């Protein structure tokens, strides 16, 4: 009897505007899951292809990117067919990270319907948070695979100065008043993250210094929280 492979977990990273950090979030999580021993596929559905460019640049620079593969697919029908195939066959992947442009409604809708979790990175400024809130409400209104698609807003690119600013406090108030779900883990504004998102990963740095080790700790916290959210969602669905 043919054994059916378990379906991978599908996690989408979406943002309504450039610079919010969806591709960086995708890359950092891919490297974390891969380092934890999971087999990861990055599905790049953004026409800009930034995640695919990172993957190709990393390979060209001879970074092994163990346990990570990447594909670029931008047509809505092709995205749907690919996600259906992955859910049906698994293909040896444990985690599929979908980098999706939030303004590309057709591609976004397709990715959302099939995803187990949608992450919405945002910087903590009023305009960015306004758009993240709108996207979160849009995502929460879509359903697929017999349930509403869960999402979490991820606060990104935070530094100490930002956290003490009136703009940051206003953004926090806006998120609190929205009543929308958000992760407790935040990503700091770190040159180390920008370097890793150019080529390679935090786990393929020779003689890692404190900045790299601190960055690893933060991205590991993010992966662990995302995993906890997925586990809780699965337990709730099974109850």
């Amino acid at each position: 009897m043919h054994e059916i492979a378990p379906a991978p977990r599908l996690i989408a990273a979406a943002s309504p505007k450039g610079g919010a950090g969806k591709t960086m979030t995708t890359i950092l999580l891919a490297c974390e899951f891969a380092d934890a021993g999971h087999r990861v596929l990055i599905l790049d559905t953004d026409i800009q292809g930034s995640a695919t460019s990172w993957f190709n640049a990393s390979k060209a620079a001879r970074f092994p990117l163990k346990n990570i593969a990447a594909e670029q697919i931008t047509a809505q029908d092709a995205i749907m067919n690919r996600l259906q195939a992955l859910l049906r066959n698994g293909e040896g992947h444990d985690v599929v990270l979908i980098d999706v442009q939030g303004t590309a409604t057709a591609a976004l809708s397709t990715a959302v319907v099939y995803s187990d979790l949608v992450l919405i990175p945002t910087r903590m400024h009023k305009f960015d948070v306004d758009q993240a809130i709108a996207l979160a409400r849009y995502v929460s209104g879509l359903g697929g695979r017999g349930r509403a698609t869960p999402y979490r807003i991820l606060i990104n690119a935070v530094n100490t100065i930002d956290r003490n600013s009136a703009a940051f406090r206003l953004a926090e108030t806006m998120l609190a008043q929205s009543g929308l779900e958000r992760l407790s883990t935040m990503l700091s504004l770190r040159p180390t993250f920008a370097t890793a998102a150019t080529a390679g990963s935090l786990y393929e740095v020779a003689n890692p210094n404190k900045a790299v080790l601190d960055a690893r700790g933060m991205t590991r916290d993010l992966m662990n929280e995302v995993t906890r959210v997925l586990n809780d969602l699965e337990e709730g669905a099974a109850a």
Side-chain angles (χ1 to χ4, degrees):
M1 182 175 180
H2 177 68
E3 183 176 347
I4 299 174
R9 285 172 157 178
L10 272 56
I11 305 167
S15 59
K17 63 185 293 292
K22 68 178 180 58
T23 299
M24 182 176 289
T25 299
T26 300
I27 291 168
L28 293 174
L29 278 176
C31 296
E32 278 299 331
F33 278 113
D35 183 69
H38 300 286
R39 294 157 299 180
V40 181
L41 172 65
I42 296 174
L43 200 61
D44 189 352
T45 71
D46 192 329
I47 57 174
Q48 294 183 2
S50 299
T52 310
S53 295
W54 163 81
F55 184 82
N56 292 336
S58 298
K59 288 297 186 179
R62 299 186 182 281
F63 288 102
L65 297 187
K66 183 181 178 183
N67 291 333
I68 301 176
E71 301 172 11
Q72 185 177 19
I73 306 176
T74 57
Q76 182 184 11
D77 288 349
I79 296 168
M80 180 180 65
N81 292 337
R82 189 72 184 100
L83 292 174
Q84 288 177 342
L86 286 164
L87 287 170
R88 185 170 57 248
N89 303 320
E91 300 181 17
H93 304 298
D94 302 312
V95 178
V96 177
L97 291 161
I98 312 164
D99 186 336
V100 58
Q101 185 180 358
T103 53
T105 306
L108 173 66
S109 299
T110 304
V112 165
V113 164
Y114 286 96
S115 292
D116 297 300
L117 180 65
V118 178
L119 300 178
I120 304 172
T122 182
R123 291 174 179 258
M124 289 297 273
H125 300 284
K126 181 183 184 302
F127 181 71
D128 300 71
V129 170
D130 270 335
Q131 294 193 56
I133 288 172
L135 180 57
R137 286 176 174 156
Y138 173 74
V139 167
S140 65
L142 294 174
R145 297 166 63 190
R147 83 286 188 263
T149 304
Y151 69 88
R152 293 293 187 275
I153 293 173
L154 167 64
I155 297 172
N156 184 44
V158 177
N159 62 37
T160 303
I161 296 175
D162 283 338
R163 298 194 71 163
N164 294 325
S165 70
F168 190 96
R169 291 194 296 272
L170 173 61
E172 279 203 310
T173 299
M174 291 170 62
L175 284 176
Q177 291 177 346
S178 73
L180 296 170
E181 300 273 10
R182 56 185 266 195
L183 296 176
S184 59
T185 305
M186 302 184 208
L187 292 180
S188 296
L189 183 63
R190 290 173 176 265
T192 312
F193 287 156
T195 300
T198 301
S201 82
L202 296 172
Y203 292 94
E204 294 172 355
V205 176
N207 302 315
N209 57 23
K210 184 178 185 301
V212 171
L213 296 176
D214 288 347
R216 287 179 184 175
M218 183 170 289
T219 53
R220 183 56 54 99
D221 287 345
L222 176 61
M223 182 197 71
N224 287 338
E225 184 172 6
V226 167
T227 301
R228 286 195 300 272
V229 169
L230 288 167
N231 289 341
D232 289 345
L233 291 168
E234 290 173 2
E235 289 175 6

